[in-house]
Amino acid sequence: MPAANDPYDPKEVAALAPDALDAAVEAARRAFAGAADLEALAAIRPAHLGDRSPVRLAKREIGALPPQARADAGKRVNVALAALTDVYAERLRTLTRNRDEQVLDAERVDVTLPASRRAPGALHPLTAIQRRMCEIFVAMGYDVAEGPHIETTWFNFDALNTPPDHPSRSLSDTFWIEPPDAGLVLRTETSPVQIRTMLERRPPIYIVCPGTVFRPDELDATHTPVFHQIEGLAVDEGLSMAHLRGTLEHFARELFGADIAIRWRPHNFPFTEPSAEPDLRCFVCHGESVGNPDRPCRTCKSEGWIEWGGSGMVNPRVLRNCGIDPTVYSGFAFGMGIDRSLMFRSGIEDMHDMFEGDVRFSLSLRGEP
Amino acid sequence: MRVSASWLRDYVELPADVTAEHLGARLISLGFELEGLHRAGGDVSGPLVVGQVLQIEELTEFKKPIRYCQVDIGEPAPRGIVCGAVNFAVGDHVVVCLPGAVLPGGFEISARKTYGHVSDGMICSARELALGDEYGAIMVLPPSSKVGADAIDVLGLRDDILDLDVTPDRGYADSMRGMAREASHAFDVEFRDPAGVSAPTPDESGWPASIQDVSGCDLLSLLTVTGLDSSTSSPPWLTGRLVHAGMRPISLAVDVTNYVMLETGQPMHAYDRALLTGDIVIRRARAGERLTMLDGVDRPLDPDDMVVTDASGPIGLAGVMGGASTEISGSTVDIVLEAAHWDPSSVSRSVRRHRLPSEAARRFERGVDPLVAGPALARAAGLLAELGAANPNAGYTVVGEPAEIAPIRMAIDLPARIVGVDYTEDAVLGRLEQIGCAVRIDGREGDVTPPSWRPDLLAPADLVEEVARLEGYDRIPAALPVVPPGRGLSISQRRRQTLARSLADDGLVEVLCYPFVGADTVERMGYAAGDPEAQSIRLANPLASTEPLLRTTLLPGLFGALRRNVGRGLRDVALFQIECVYRRTAGLPPAPVVPVGRAPDAAELAALNAALPAQPWHVAAVLAGDREPRGWWGPGRRADWSDTVAVAHVVAGAMGARLSPRAAEHGPWHPGRCAALLLGDVVVGHAGELHPRVTAEFDLPARTCAVELDLDAIGYADVPVQASVIASYPPVLLDVSLAVPDNVPAAAVQDAVRAGAGPLLESIALFDVYAGDRLAAGQRSLAYTLRFRASDRTLTIEEATAARDAAVARASRDTGAVLRS
């Protein structure tokens, strides 16, 4: 490298001559363009951009120039370096893209092949809809209460104002535990849970009780000896049938959709007085089968409405049986078949499907959130 | 209750344009569900006319008697009709069905040549008109019938029959009287009470009677009717109404009692007076007494049965069925009609005891108006006089007193408060009076005395329902109560939800199996008599005698579901169920009798709960076929014992517990492939492959695996999980391979390694198990990857190695492990 030399003419340093720099850039441009793939490009990079490439070497000579010439020369070198770097980067991008196109194309797979390597599982649809039902009530502030399946007759009948000779206590309506003198039955409804709750807590009480219940009916398309109920109980000051109606209509809309129509009919239950049965507008015929023999509806038997459950104002006798003063508190109660509700909601025509344990049933309905 | 719309109109002025559908809809809104609407006679079309027989020619050349009749049907010339019945005479009025007519059941009538004559129509029997059972006998109409009149109208063949569901509390509505009253409320029109006739006056000549047990019968009325013309049969209008109501015409006297029962709601019984011996006495049956009833069956009576007796002994089971010995017959001339007021529960018990439901018993069970007996008897006697030329009152006896009806005190604004509608005082009083209550206002309250036909009205709430019902449930607005903050799901509910979701996410399908199992199920599963799983609870009334027990384990149900899936061609099946099992608990006291009307006290409550057997929540799963399916990626992997232990760990995770396996021999499991799952040192369930004997016994796929855990025993952890430090310093990974005697459980080795390695050990993973040539006999090699990390510094290799060495030393000491080089 020449020493600093003030009168030295920069043009005398050949490597820094504009022509020389241009030539180096042009040579690199040709070389990079000629590199057929990334490997070739990597192989020639040192010759044109490496530490010992012409332009890098030229840059080292700047120090040898007189001060007044350095800025000009430095600028020329930097311009040349930037041009080189751009040319290289452009070629690198091009070659990388080419390489990717080839390799990734070769690696192409059929993404429509079956992807799940584990057989799917599922909740039973009754579990899923029961959760949804509970959630609707929990969102309103209700608690979810549970109780035993084998119950004493006091909880299952007496406390619920069922008369001693009522047919519902008979062997044809209730499963009795042997020996019958023990006073134990398989609960026929989840109402004993309401009694237990009223004995455990003071009003205000707002609960739902979902669960398994039992009645001696043979399994057929619409009956099953084991089924599921969700009952609700509210005991508070100033509750009326209007609150019952509002609550059940909210429940029905959440469960079946905003356009569900409900009809209220007087009925009779020992547990409630006054009592009411809510009917739902038939899901299948929407009432169009009524009086229309050409379009009979199996679901509602061409009545246009489907029984959904029972409800009413808690009979003051039941409140007294639980130590709650009916002159201070009133309450409403309701009970719906979860199985029936599922049948309506998912268009299930035969109870057998729910209890035979065929995995295809649970799997086919596993889309319920 | 089958209600004839035309009959109903006898008692209530329904507007002419009210259709049966409209009537049904209004009755539904009053609480009477319409089960069906039948168009009686809807398939009948004329011409069907009243004719008079002018001439009968007996044709004798055939095997049976045949008549060729000339019948005047109001046309210029009589019609010639061939008929095979002989119960009519010249001059009789009959129903003639002309060619082109269609009879019930769609039978089309045409002119045809038969027995040598052209029959230009047909003379009809009751059965052909669907008005009764009599097939061979022609229906003979009263002489007043107008010749040529349309018989469809004369006979009332066309009618709308509403099949209405009457709830058991509304006994009064099980009658035309009650239904007409409801219809009058529905349309706000006049009601004419069919029981509005006067009762006879009791006199000395009535049949003597007494009541010995007033708890079973508080009122008995007996009306003697004499001189019945036993040759007369019921007129078509009467049999038609009985048939439309679903009853079978039998004879004039019986038909009249049934008709009056349908009309007034008072069941009655007719005795042949000639067959009665001595006073009628109402009492309970005596031990050993028997009664041959109207159906010809001789039954033993129970000392709880109420019976009607005379000097001969029991002659009727009260309110249920009469006796054969006093039954009226075709030759009966004098009748004693009985109308009693039986105790509903007593009748109900007799019905169930003898399995003899009947129209009469149903009405008694639901409560009959005690004041209707007299008018009903008078009505029946009147009909027998009118239709059978009887003397309607040859003596009347009344024994007993109807119970006093207590007034109900009710705040006048109670209906408004309970229903949530601002009923005016006038509306409340008006509705109560409309249903027959007497109301005496006393300030803001009223004393409401229900009518005699409403024994269901006992408390203010019952009156509230009447007001709400008549004002219309559709008037009730929808409102939402202000519910205080709730607590959300309980911990056990949340745990079980998480559990079900975890198992479903793990590829298992939830099923719901019935809890009924066979008497030999637990034995077939390999449980011993003393095992908890063998402590079964028996049902007194199982649906199937082959399944009299309740499950003590969820597995039998899952076995059945698995078998069904496999039977339907599915091979890879993984099922689970989360439900309760039931275990007989030795020495349980029977449930005490606790009165109602007040809350049980603490001791009573405790005694009630002490009667309940154990009913723990369980989870169980069965796995068969491939756990990981074969596919384009390669072969599948068969479910084995380890998958069920893995399921147990999924369960433990969802329950917030840690379970450890231990080799076990238990019930249905393969003795060498069964793990007991322990929570601490308590066994909470088992997992593994099933015993081949059990898979064969239950017809399950070979190598089926199962797991069952007691969730209540695992418990529902409710402590917030505490975070551990997530260190960001680099780990040191060291592998160690240990040779151990092959009877040492891997879990013991791992426990020892973990204990010896100390707190620097972040995780340990077994990556290889080897047994073979390179090891001594009876040895196997367990190879672990140990990940060490310090939470506060970069760990040095030296520190990690020292911890590893300590782990090996501990394993060596505890399990005899030797480090393999």
Side-chain angles (χ1 to χ4, degrees), chain B residues 87-459:
Chain B
N87 69 314
F88 58 96
V90 169
D92 277 352
H93 288 72
V94 293
V95 179
V96 179
C97 176
L98 299 178
V102 179
L103 291 183
F107 296 108
E108 201 167 324
I109 304 303
S110 56
R112 64 192 181 112
K113 186 157 187 194
T114 177
Y115 298 108
H117 293 271
V118 172
S119 187
D120 204 6
M122 184 175 93
I123 304 177
C124 300
S125 71
R127 180 162 173 152
E128 283 154 353
L129 296 169
L131 289 178
D133 283 343
E134 276 192 280
Y135 199 69
I138 286 310
M139 175 178 272
V140 177
L141 301 176
S144 55
S145 308
K146 188 171 173 299
V147 171
D150 185 347
I152 291 174
D153 294 340
V154 171
L155 299 172
L157 283 187
R158 281 213 193 99
D159 202 352
D160 292 323
I161 309 299
L162 290 83
D163 192 355
L164 293 158
D165 186 28
V166 177
T167 54
D169 56 327
R170 299 188 183 274
Y172 70 95
D174 230 334
S175 66
M176 296 307 297
R177 182 195 191 206
M179 272 303 170
R181 195 186 299 275
E182 291 293 334
S184 81
H185 302 334
F187 291 92
D188 204 20
V189 291
E190 277 299 302
F191 163 68
R192 276 192 310 277
D193 191 347
V197 297
S198 322
T201 311
D203 58 41
E204 295 295 313
S205 54
W207 195 269
S210 62
I211 299 172
Q212 281 187 359
D213 189 334
V214 291
S215 74
C217 176
D218 58 4
L219 197 57
L220 172 73
S221 307
L222 299 171
L223 179 61
T224 308
V225 175
T226 55
L228 180 71
D229 175 357
S230 57
S231 69
T232 45
S233 54
S234 304
W237 64 263
L238 195 156
T239 53
R241 283 183 168 180
L242 289 180
V243 167
H244 286 161
M247 299 194 80
R248 201 164 54 90
I250 293 169
S251 66
L252 179 62
V254 173
D255 292 350
V256 162
T257 58
N258 283 335
Y259 183 82
V260 174
M261 174 180 74
L262 293 172
E263 189 180 59
T264 65
Q266 171 73 57
M268 48 182 81
H269 186 71
Y271 300 94
D272 187 331
R273 192 176 72 165
L275 301 174
L276 285 173
T277 51
D279 287 14
I280 283 182
V281 177
I282 305 296
R283 59 167 169 84
R284 300 274 170 193
R286 295 181 185 132
E289 281 186 326
R290 304 181 68 87
L291 176 63
T292 303
M293 300 191 195
L294 287 176
D295 59 1
V297 178
D298 177 58
R299 294 181 175 85
L301 298 171
D302 186 279
D304 181 52
D305 286 329
M306 285 300 292
V307 286
V308 183
T309 67
D310 68 1
S312 70
I315 55 169
L317 180 60
V320 178
M321 196 185 279
S325 68
T326 55
E327 182 180 5
I328 55 169
S329 64
S331 59
T332 300
V333 178
D334 302 331
I335 290 172
V336 174
L337 291 174
E338 168 222 290
H341 189 244
W342 303 109
D343 171 51
S345 345
S346 184
V347 172
S348 184
R349 290 198 298 274
S350 290
V351 166
R352 261 182 276 154
R353 189 177 297 129
H354 299 285
R355 294 199 173 83
L356 281 174
S358 68
E359 292 277 339
R362 188 179 78 239
R363 287 175 171 81
F364 283 123
E365 284 181 79
R366 295 170 173 205
V368 167
D369 180 356
L371 300 190
V372 84
L377 286 171
R379 172 89 173 115
L383 284 169
L384 289 174
E386 179 191 331
L387 304 172
N391 166 15
N393 188 352
Y396 184 51
T397 307
V398 176
V399 192
E401 287 280 335
E404 191 90 350
I405 299 171
I408 302 163
R409 192 153 184 92
M410 182 187 80
I412 301 299
D413 69 345
L414 186 70
R417 281 190 276 126
I418 293 296
V419 183
V421 176
D422 280 334
Y423 302 126
T424 63
E425 184 172 325
D426 284 351
V428 171
L429 300 183
R431 291 303 185 182
L432 292 176
E433 283 167 357
Q434 191 177 22
I435 59 166
C437 292
V439 187
R440 199 175 58 80
I441 295 293
D442 181 9
R444 302 169 68 166
E445 300 193 323
D447 284 320
V448 183
T449 307
S452 58
W453 58 86
R454 294 299 302 270
D456 59 309
L457 301 180
L458 295 166

Side-chain angles (χ1 to χ4, degrees), chain B residues 702-749:
Chain B
R703 307 267 179 213
T704 296
C705 298
V707 50
E708 177 159 24
L709 295 160
D710 181 337
L711 296 178
D712 288 357
I714 293 173
Y716 306 89
D718 196 15
V719 183
V721 178
Q722 300 301 307
S724 50
V725 176
I726 308 297
S728 54
Y729 293 94
V732 177
L733 300 176
L734 296 174
D735 287 353
V736 354
S737 184
L738 298 171
V740 292
D742 58 12
N743 62 351
V744 173
V749 177

Side-chain angles (χ1 to χ4, degrees), chain B residues 592-665:
Chain B
V593 175
V594 173
V596 289
R598 60 163 175 83
D601 62 30
E604 287 168 330
L605 207 50
L608 285 168
N609 284 323
L612 296 177
Q615 316 175 43
W617 282 90
H618 274 211
V619 60
V622 293
L623 286 74
D626 283 350
R627 178 71 168 127
E628 291 165 16
R630 68 174 182 165
W632 56 270
W633 52 78
R637 188 180 64 74
R638 235 186 139 68
D640 65 20
W641 66 271
S642 67
D643 293 300
T644 60
V645 176
V647 166
H649 289 311
V650 170
V651 172
M655 298 294 284
R658 189 183 290 273
L659 298 181
S660 43
R662 185 174 73 192
E665 294 183 21

